[in-house]
Amino acid sequence: MDLKRPLFDGSLVYLAPIDHEKDAEIESRWTHDAVDMRLLSFEPAKPLSPAQVKKSYEAIEKSVDGDKNLFYFTIRLRSDGRLLGFLRLYDVIWTHGAGTLRLGIGDPADRRHGYGSEALSLGLRYAFEELNLYRLSAWIAEYNTPALRFFEKAGFTVEVCRRQAINRSGRRWDLISMGMLREEWERSLGIGS
Amino acid sequence: MLDEALFQGELVRLVALDADKVAEHFFKWDHDSEYWRLLAAEPAMSYSKKQIKDLIEKELDGDKGDLFFFMIQSLQDWRIIGQIGLDGVKWTHGDTFVGISIGERELWSKGYGTDAMRVILRYAFTELNLQRVSLTVFEYNPRAIRSYEKAGFVVEGRLRKILLRGGRR
């Protein structure tokens, strides 16, 4: 493997830190779309002002600096640096080499352009090759079929179905955990055996 | 005699900048994952300007007279091209660690780092009156090893297979 190959740069997007000034405005707008927020998170959807978003950024960075088991990136468009979404590796358990991944593209107009796929492949490489993790999980709501397909295409396998864990839109839904092991990632790249 | 150009070498000089200025440079350099992987054992990470600034200010606030951290400035065009610093000075033993990096990658292998290292070694030995300066460098960074040897360092030991990078130790 090549230590020279950039970890953060793809051909369409790149991974970068938060821009406290610019990003809060954009992310505040995203939080006003309830349908979207319910795809991205299991927390109650809740519109946030730019100042509230900024506060959440500070909390994220405090956790990144303090706990050492969270790695947070913004996903940005290569051509103009515009904020597209976020990617986080969290709940990293170092002794077991396990972590969880979550990824979101904020604006529906930015989906289906391959931005998320490329960001995911950068995130996987970072997790397996730089953090040297052995496995990753991702939690997806049953109703989020695009996300299920998305992770499946990247090589994730359904591992757990937490039955009826989500209560949304007047009914209950399963919460699905998909996972990927290091050797599956290597195979998907054609590395090793 | 007293050396009036104590902070200056042939290609560079050492300067102190405010934390927000330092953060601008670190922000730019850290995005280059190869740079980071040559420099640090921690996972490559690109931190926000605010995060970097806060961290530097915390370091500076905690200075007990044993922090000697400088930016490297090119004498040619006054660009800030890297950073260098002594940390972990042990006064009773006259020993310190040194760390250096050239963030502007098009200036790698042009002697800037070696020059900056010579300046800070002179500073360490003639101004701080230390007895020795130590550093660690990764096996996969032959460019740095050559530079340190040119500046006069000798290999004292190796920590076998201590890193796992790019799938090998």
Side-chain angles (χ1 to χ4, degrees):
Chain A
M1 267 165 269
D2 185 4
L3 293 178
K4 290 189 162 80
R5 204 172 124 209
L7 281 173
F8 304 128
D9 298 300
S11 58
L12 299 169
V13 303
Y14 64 97
L15 303 181
I18 296 165
D19 184 326
H20 288 253
E21 298 315 311
K22 290 189 195 140
D23 293 354
E25 292 281 340
I26 301 170
E27 195 162 338
S28 167
R29 237 177 294 136
W30 295 346
T31 64
H32 287 74
D33 184 329
V35 176
D36 256 28
M37 291 317 289
R38 288 165 149 210
L39 295 178
L40 291 175
S41 172
F42 314 118
E43 308 281 317
K46 180 185 172 192
L48 296 174
S49 74
Q52 283 172 310
V53 173
K54 242 185 231 182
K55 259 216 171 112
S56 76
Y57 290 160
E58 281 169 22
I60 288 168
E61 291 191 340
K62 207 169 150 214
S63 171
V64 168
D65 290 339
D67 304 338
K68 305 286 178 205
N69 55 13
L70 168 65
F71 297 85
Y72 186 93
F73 298 97
T74 60
I75 301 168
R76 294 178 181 277
L77 191 62
R78 184 97 188 229
S79 56
D80 59 5
R82 182 163 66 84
L83 179 71
L84 296 170
F86 67 88
L87 184 150
R88 64 162 79 200
L89 295 158
Y90 61 104
D91 287 353
V92 172
I93 309 170
W94 292 108
T95 47
H96 301 292
T100 310
L101 181 144
R102 189 194 285 178
L103 178 153
I105 299 294
D107 187 335
D110 286 329
R111 298 192 192 134
R112 308 186 146 274
H113 288 87
Y115 301 150
S117 299
E118 195 180 60
L120 179 61
S121 68
L122 290 171
L124 293 176
R125 178 154 177 259
Y126 186 79
F128 289 120
E129 201 185 299
E130 185 64 6
L131 300 183
N132 295 323
L133 297 181
Y134 179 69
R135 59 157 290 137
L136 282 178
S137 312
W139 289 99
I140 303 128
E142 179 191 356
Y143 53 75
N144 194 355
T145 42
L148 290 167
R149 266 207 313 276
F150 173 77
F151 282 104
E152 207 175 68
K153 233 176 66 187
F156 281 71
T157 307
V158 172
E159 293 181 328
V160 177
C161 173
R162 203 180 274 177
R163 296 170 306 154
Q164 311 286 298
I166 300 173
N167 181 2
R168 262 183 179 161
S169 304
R171 61 159 281 199
R172 304 208 67 100
W173 309 81
D174 294 346
L175 182 54
I176 292 159
S177 177
M178 300 182 78
M180 187 186 233
L181 308 181
R182 170 198 290 283
E183 53 258 34
E184 291 166 350
W185 174 71
E186 287 173 347
R187 226 175 290 138
S188 78
L189 296 180
I191 303 171
S193 50
Chain B
M1 258 339 291
L2 294 182
D3 186 356
E4 63 262 33
L6 185 62
F7 306 122
Q8 189 161 318
E10 284 167 19
L11 297 172
V12 300
R13 65 172 185 178
L14 309 188
V15 297
L17 294 185
D18 284 343
D20 56 336
K21 292 267 168 47
V22 175
E24 296 275 340
H25 294 289
F26 279 24
F27 173 77
K28 180 172 167 241
W29 300 337
D30 288 353
H31 184 78
D32 181 343
S33 57
E34 184 190 0
Y35 163 77
W36 182 298
R37 288 163 136 193
L38 293 171
L39 179 67
E42 289 76 34
M45 190 66 210
S46 75
Y47 291 112
S48 74
K49 285 178 198 169
K50 178 178 179 304
Q51 241 170 332
I52 299 168
K53 179 168 162 282
D54 290 351
L55 201 77
I56 293 166
E57 280 173 347
K58 213 170 103 190
E59 286 268 318
L60 294 175
D61 285 348
D63 180 12
K64 296 183 196 72
D66 57 1
L67 186 68
F68 303 93
F69 170 74
F70 310 104
M71 298 301 274
I72 302 170
Q73 186 173 40
S74 163
L75 293 176
Q76 211 165 17
D77 52 10
W78 310 113
R79 262 171 82 194
I80 299 294
I81 63 168
Q83 57 87 29
I84 191 165
L86 306 176
D87 70 300
V89 178
K90 295 175 201 77
W91 294 110
T92 50
H93 303 289
D95 179 37
T96 183
F97 261 86
V98 64
I100 180 173
S101 63
I102 302 296
E104 301 295 335
R105 59 183 302 146
E106 75 275 13
L107 299 181
W108 289 353
S109 293
K110 292 194 160 48
Y112 291 97
T114 308
D115 192 47
M117 185 59 89
R118 287 185 177 130
V119 174
I120 209 159
L121 287 175
R122 183 177 60 200
Y123 179 73
F125 288 121
T126 71
E127 183 68 11
L128 303 180
N129 296 324
L130 296 174
Q131 295 301 307
R132 59 167 281 147
V133 177
S134 321
L135 62 80
T136 55
V137 59
F138 303 147
E139 178 190 4
Y140 57 74
N141 193 357
R143 191 170 35 223
I145 294 170
R146 260 201 316 279
S147 164
Y148 299 147
E149 282 171 346
K150 264 194 287 177
F153 284 87
V154 294
V155 175
E156 294 183 326
R158 48 174 63 217
L159 300 162
R160 296 169 306 155
K161 299 188 186 291
I162 192 167
L163 294 182
L164 171 55
R165 272 247 161 93
R168 60 162 284 196
R169 293 207 173 262

